[in-house]
Amino acid sequence: MTDYVFTLSSGNEVPVIITTRRGLRNITLRPRFSPNPEIHISKPWLVPTSAAIRFLESKQKWIECVFQKCPTKVELKSGDKIEFLGRTVLLIHDSHIRANRFDNDTSTLYVGGGADMFERRVRDYIKSEFLSVLKEMIRSVPREFHPKRIALRDTTSRWGSCSTTGTMSFSWRLAFAPMDVMRYVVMHELAHKKHMDHSPEFWMTVRELYGPGVERAKRWLSKNGGALHQYF
């Protein structure tokens, strides 16, 4: 249900959905691009809706920047090539098979089922592969950094997060980023197991886990992160 409409300087209107959450301390904003542009606001129980709207309006410049970086969606079809997890994959629809099949020799993903399910099946395959690579990266660090639980998200404002309960969440769209950038986000969140802040000690831990190139990966994500939302 739309609670409010946020008007961009371009004149485009973005629906705003406000939810109240017990235990939440601060108001949070989460713009979303898919399947349609939306702004989700979570607010503490005692904070009035009017205060949440004022907070949203105070972030006008940030919201504008987020939606300006939102790329035009690209619809995938049989015969397209797509890059994810460090490889270029040819997508072929094959209605004669029920499950997806990947041919390593030709880097071809054969997508089964009906044509109307083509994009969804490609997306599900990428998410599954992303999770496998993610777990492999996590296993490469000492167990003291391992999360209790892993969750995949489709967020626009955060590529990863680490809760005090030990759950780590990652945007599966990192599958479309260079592997070193994906690894940077993973190591960033793992470092929060020791430091739930962004103190100098935290960044030292990130560099110990990641190795050289942390700043380069950060710059790439800041400059090109919007492009990771071009599909689906």
Side-chain angles (χ1 to χ4, degrees):
M1 178 180 177
T2 301
D3 301 287
Y4 180 78
V5 173
F6 186 82
T7 304
L8 302 173
S9 59
S10 62
N12 293 334
E13 295 183 337
V14 182
V16 178
I17 292 86
I18 303 173
T19 57
T20 300
R21 293 172 53 192
R22 292 186 181 273
L24 194 66
R25 294 185 177 183
N26 301 302
I27 300 172
T28 61
L29 300 180
R30 293 191 176 178
R32 292 185 181 177
F33 301 146
S34 179
N36 298 301
E38 292 178 343
I39 300 172
H40 288 249
I41 302 179
S42 297
K43 69 179 184 67
W45 186 260
L46 296 178
V47 172
T49 298
S50 58
I53 295 300
R54 287 196 298 272
F55 181 74
L56 170 64
E57 292 173 342
S58 72
K59 300 296 182 179
Q60 174 91 27
K61 288 185 178 180
W62 178 73
I63 295 292
E64 293 276 357
C65 182
V66 169
F67 281 101
Q68 283 174 4
K69 291 181 178 180
C70 176
T72 301
K73 291 293 182 181
V74 176
E75 182 179 355
L76 293 173
K77 58 187 183 299
S78 184
D80 285 347
K81 288 186 176 182
I82 184 173
E83 293 187 14
F84 62 90
L85 296 173
R87 60 192 178 190
T88 301
V89 176
L90 173 64
L91 306 177
I92 297 295
H93 177 234
D94 186 346
S95 60
H96 297 96
I97 61 175
R98 297 184 63 182
N100 292 342
R101 179 172 61 83
F102 188 78
D103 186 329
N104 280 299
D105 293 334
T106 60
S107 290
T108 301
L109 175 63
Y110 293 94
V111 184
D116 58 327
M117 298 291 287
F118 181 78
E119 283 200 308
R120 179 177 175 179
R121 284 178 174 265
V122 173
R123 181 195 63 195
D124 290 347
Y125 177 83
I126 293 173
K127 290 174 69 174
S128 176
E129 290 294 294
F130 172 78
L131 183 59
S132 296
V133 173
L134 174 62
K135 290 179 177 179
E136 185 177 334
M137 286 183 177
I138 291 174
R139 285 195 292 268
S140 72
V141 306
R143 290 189 62 85
E144 62 188 289
F145 291 99
H146 291 192
K148 291 184 178 179
R149 178 175 172 269
I150 299 171
L152 299 188
R153 300 282 188 259
D154 189 3
T155 56
T156 56
S157 57
R158 302 179 71 178
W159 298 110
S161 64
C162 177
S163 73
T164 54
T165 62
T167 295
M168 290 189 188
S169 301
F170 297 92
S171 169
W172 66 269
R173 292 183 180 277
L174 287 167
F176 300 117
M179 293 295 286
D180 60 330
V181 175
M182 173 185 167
R183 184 170 172 272
Y184 156 69
V185 176
V186 174
M187 298 305 149
H188 180 117
E189 298 309 325
L190 295 180
H192 279 309
K193 282 279 285 184
K194 279 195 173 183
H195 307 283
M196 290 297 289
D197 54 27
H198 288 93
S199 62
E201 291 77 16
F202 164 79
W203 286 110
M204 185 179 298
T205 302
V206 174
R207 292 182 177 89
E208 288 173 354
L209 293 174
Y210 182 83
V214 168
E215 295 302 323
R216 180 174 63 250
K218 285 175 62 179
R219 286 195 299 271
W220 189 98
L221 200 55
S222 176
K223 181 180 180 181
N224 303 289
L228 306 186
H229 292 271
Q230 65 178 314
Y231 302 117
F232 313 109

